[in-house]
Amino acid sequence: MIEARRLHILRAVADHRTVTAAAAALYLTPSAVSQQLAALEQETGHRLVERGAKGVRLTPAGEILLNHTNAVLAQLERAEAELAAYSSGAAGTVTVASFATGIALVVAPAVARLAESAPGIRIRVQDAEGDASLPMVLDRQVDVAVAVEYRGAPPADDPRLTHVPLYAEPFDAVVPVRHRLADTAEVPLAELAKDPWIGPYPGNPCHDVVVLACENAGFQPRMEHSSDDFRAVVALASADAGVALVPRSALRGMDLAGVVVRPVDGTAPTRRVFAAVRRGAEEHPLIRPVLDALGAAARV
């Protein structure tokens, strides 16, 4: 009989590519993870992982078991949801991880909405970028992630996750007031090819959006300054340190005295925001109201 907790460990190793990283995500010791993998191999009668200089990879047998693991763990999530519904689980804590603008735009309004519609649900919010929040969901560190689509992100049909689209918003060009394009109605990105750029660090989903937009315009942006805080990005632009692309909602309430904000000429780069939960958990009586409240906040 295969133990479900060992399947969870197998998936964590497949996701994180090393025993040490998987152990840290699961709050276990590396030796405990290795022992559980060895026990799983004994249960299945197959070698499931291979260790190399670059980490751990699954064997063909391990890949077969991983495909079944995703289905089994999703079904267990559904079982927990149905049992919670049976016992009318209308009270409990749901942890939501989101990037800062997402917290302001949809998570905080959802918290306020739930305080009236589902007062038994307590929301705990953690600030985390999308590339961090999705692994946190898979590792059961949080229940819900509010994340941004980015290159390398799990796709919408990933068997481990259920995606709920929330909203999409354009990026606007932010240039210093004395910039040569400050008086244009729309900024052609190709005209910024030789400018110094200010933007998020690599790994931040918004960094991918900016770089991809510039690549589509025919150039690689020369990132002179990096910050994941868009207030800092705008402040640097106002100091004539460079140009930037910033999500429209992130500009709300900022001091824009030293910059000019213009739409991008042509097809604007866009960040698409979604909520994600472990597949099978979307109908849990604590999580379903949270997803509904996030969706309602996004529509507003």
Side-chain angles (χ1 to χ4, degrees):
M1 180 69 69
I2 298 174
E3 291 192 20
R5 65 192 177 98
R6 289 174 181 155
L7 294 179
H8 185 63
I9 288 172
L10 178 71
R11 187 162 79 177
V13 170
D15 287 343
H16 294 280
R17 302 296 183 185
T18 71
V19 168
T20 301
L26 298 173
Y27 300 102
L28 297 171
T29 64
S31 62
V33 169
S34 295
Q35 289 170 9
Q36 292 300 315
L37 287 175
L40 185 58
E41 289 181 330
Q42 186 173 5
E43 287 174 344
T44 61
H46 291 279
R47 187 179 182 187
L48 302 174
V49 298
E50 290 181 346
R51 292 169 172 80
K54 295 183 179 180
V56 175
R57 69 178 184 87
L58 298 188
T59 65
E63 294 287 355
I64 291 172
L65 184 57
L66 179 64
N67 289 334
H68 289 285
T69 292
N70 291 327
V72 168
L73 295 183
Q75 191 60 41
L76 287 175
E77 293 283 356
R78 295 186 189 99
E80 290 182 11
E82 289 189 21
L83 287 170
Y86 175 76
S87 60
S88 65
T93 299
V94 176
T95 304
V96 179
S98 171
F99 58 100
T101 308
I103 292 174
L105 201 61
V106 294
V107 177
V111 170
R113 184 182 297 269
L114 287 165
E116 296 183 0
S117 63
I121 299 178
R122 176 173 174 261
I123 305 297
R124 294 181 65 247
V125 180
Q126 296 185 22
D127 188 334
E129 293 296 339
D131 58 323
S133 63
L134 294 176
M136 291 167 72
V137 169
L138 291 171
D139 293 334
R140 305 183 70 89
Q141 297 173 8
V142 302
D143 302 301
V144 181
V146 175
V148 178
E149 291 181 2
Y150 61 95
R151 288 189 287 193
D157 60 353
D158 189 294
R160 302 168 298 172
L161 295 168
T162 293
H163 284 219
V164 179
L166 293 178
Y167 65 92
E169 63 172 328
F171 282 60
D172 289 326
V174 177
V175 301
V177 291
R178 294 179 295 278
H179 193 273
R180 64 188 181 281
L181 299 178
D183 294 331
T184 61
E186 295 181 333
V187 173
L189 281 186
E191 296 296 320
L192 302 176
K194 296 183 179 180
D195 285 80
W197 278 75
I198 313 157
Y201 284 100
N204 185 315
C206 288
H207 175 89
D208 286 346
V209 174
V210 171
V211 171
L212 183 59
C214 293
E215 288 175 351
N216 289 338
F219 69 97
Q220 283 282 342
R222 177 164 53 90
M223 288 291 180
E224 290 287 331
H225 312 283
S226 298
S227 174
D228 288 336
D229 185 336
F230 285 116
R231 291 185 182 276
V233 170
V234 171
L236 286 167
S238 69
D240 205 17
V243 299
L245 289 174
V246 177
R248 188 166 291 173
S249 66
L251 294 167
R252 295 177 184 176
M254 281 196 194
D255 179 6
L256 302 174
V259 298
V260 171
V261 179
R262 294 287 185 265
V264 172
D265 184 31
T267 302
T270 301
R271 73 169 171 183
R272 305 184 187 281
V273 179
F274 62 94
V277 299
R278 292 180 295 278
R279 189 172 291 268
E282 60 273 9
E283 295 303 329
H284 191 287
L286 295 178
I287 292 177
R288 182 76 259 170
V290 174
L291 294 176
D292 291 342
L294 289 169
R299 289 190 293 274
V300 172

